[in-house]
Amino acid sequence: MLNQSTALDLTFQALADPARRAMLERLAQGPAAVSELAQPLTMSLPAVLQHLTVLENAGLVTSAKAGRVRTCQIAGPALTLAEGWLNARRAEWEARFDRLEEYLNDIKDGESHG
Amino acid sequence: MLNQSTALDLTFQALADPARRAMLERLAQGPAAVSELAQPLTMSLPAVLQHLTVLENAGLVTSAKAGRVRTCQIAGPALTLAEGWLNARRAEWEARFDRLEEYLNDIKDGESHG
DNA sequence: CCTATAGTTAATCATATGCTTAACCAATCA
DNA sequence: TGATTGGTTAAGCATATGATTAACTATAGG
């Protein structure tokens, strides 16, 4: 098992490319073959395969081959790791913002009270 | 203004590095000087500056210099773009999952009924 | 069996990333 | 005013990334 930092590295890195996000957007609608993922992308099939590898290494996508067609699926829980990190940062930031707001109110009260 | 795809590229790319995430985690607690951000990181100050540039270009952090100290802040709305993209994917995926479940229930009913 | 389809591997290449050191600038402060 | 502190710029370098083409494998269909 990878440590959390490396998992986040791989996840965010995987999400940082528009072709890979397009593949995930397609897969969020349901499973698809490699050639189906490749179809809207303006690049060679080997390039698509490399992107697929990145997505699989990040644990965002799984795939299995039946006959000569490889079917890809989005991996449910994987996105939640990234989502969780972002949520945590926003929660911290908002908490700090709230405290700041409270502090500013205190100052204002202090001024009006003398 | 940048188009949305490029903004997501920059955002996820910025989040893909552990040093930059550490900087954001620190900044989520409140503003900090460059040297304060650098302190826990095992790299040179110029390297930290480069990471800071990446975060600023992604719109995740703002900074201003007063005297000789540059104070950095997390930029509120920036993380929500990335969060929004992830949420949308999860929503789609879950909707599909629900439809699949429904479909499987239909099949099961069909079997038991005839 | 032959051919077309779907995917895969390998080699190569240009550019991007992440880091370093050295040199430098501008506020403080003794 | 001279040293220190905090930051900045520039140059260089190793590795990673994203793409290509060419060559190859394996299944499906006529």
Side-chain angles (χ1 to χ4, degrees):
Chain A
M1 175 103 72
L2 296 164
N3 69 41
Q4 181 129 334
S5 175
T6 303
L8 279 174
D9 289 357
L10 293 174
T11 301
F12 283 126
Q13 182 64 44
L15 294 171
D17 185 281
R20 288 193 292 263
R21 284 199 307 279
M23 291 166 78
L24 283 174
E25 283 169 24
R26 170 62 190 80
L27 291 175
Q29 313 290 337
V34 171
S35 52
E36 206 176 334
L37 293 178
Q39 188 256 308
L41 302 175
T42 60
M43 65 179 69
S44 66
L45 208 52
V48 175
L49 262 283
Q50 285 178 42
H51 284 302
L52 183 61
T53 304
V54 172
L55 290 169
E56 294 205 54
N57 287 340
L60 294 170
V61 166
T62 61
S63 76
K65 200 165 176 176
R68 61 184 167 173
V69 29
R70 176 172 296 279
T71 302
C72 309
Q73 283 198 85
I74 204 164
L79 288 178
T80 52
L81 180 67
E83 242 182 325
W85 190 89
L86 290 172
N87 271 320
R89 292 301 81 66
R90 196 165 50 98
E92 285 170 355
W93 183 80
E94 281 174 5
R96 199 199 81 82
F97 194 77
D98 290 348
R99 285 195 301 274
L100 178 62
E101 207 166 34
E102 198 181 335
Y103 169 69
L104 292 175
N105 284 337
D106 286 356
I107 287 180
K108 203 175 65 178
D109 288 356
E111 278 173 1
S112 60
H113 292 331
Chain B
M1 174 106 69
L2 295 163
N3 70 39
Q4 179 129 336
S5 174
T6 304
L8 279 173
D9 289 357
L10 293 174
T11 302
F12 283 127
Q13 183 63 45
L15 293 171
D17 186 282
R20 288 193 293 262
R21 284 199 307 279
M23 292 166 76
L24 284 174
E25 283 169 23
R26 169 62 191 78
L27 290 175
Q29 314 290 335
V34 171
S35 52
E36 206 175 334
L37 292 177
Q39 188 255 310
L41 302 174
T42 60
M43 65 180 68
S44 67
L45 207 52
V48 174
L49 262 283
Q50 286 177 39
H51 284 303
L52 182 60
T53 304
V54 172
L55 289 169
E56 294 206 54
N57 287 340
L60 294 168
V61 166
T62 61
S63 75
K65 199 165 177 177
R68 61 184 167 174
V69 32
R70 176 173 295 280
T71 302
C72 309
Q73 284 198 85
I74 202 164
L79 287 177
T80 52
L81 180 68
E83 243 183 324
W85 190 90
L86 290 172
N87 272 320
R89 293 299 82 66
R90 198 164 48 97
E92 286 171 355
W93 183 80
E94 282 174 4
R96 199 199 80 83
F97 195 76
D98 290 349
R99 286 195 300 275
L100 179 62
E101 207 165 36
E102 198 180 332
Y103 169 70
L104 292 175
N105 285 335
D106 286 355
I107 287 181
K108 205 173 67 178
D109 289 355
E111 279 175 1
S112 60
H113 291 328

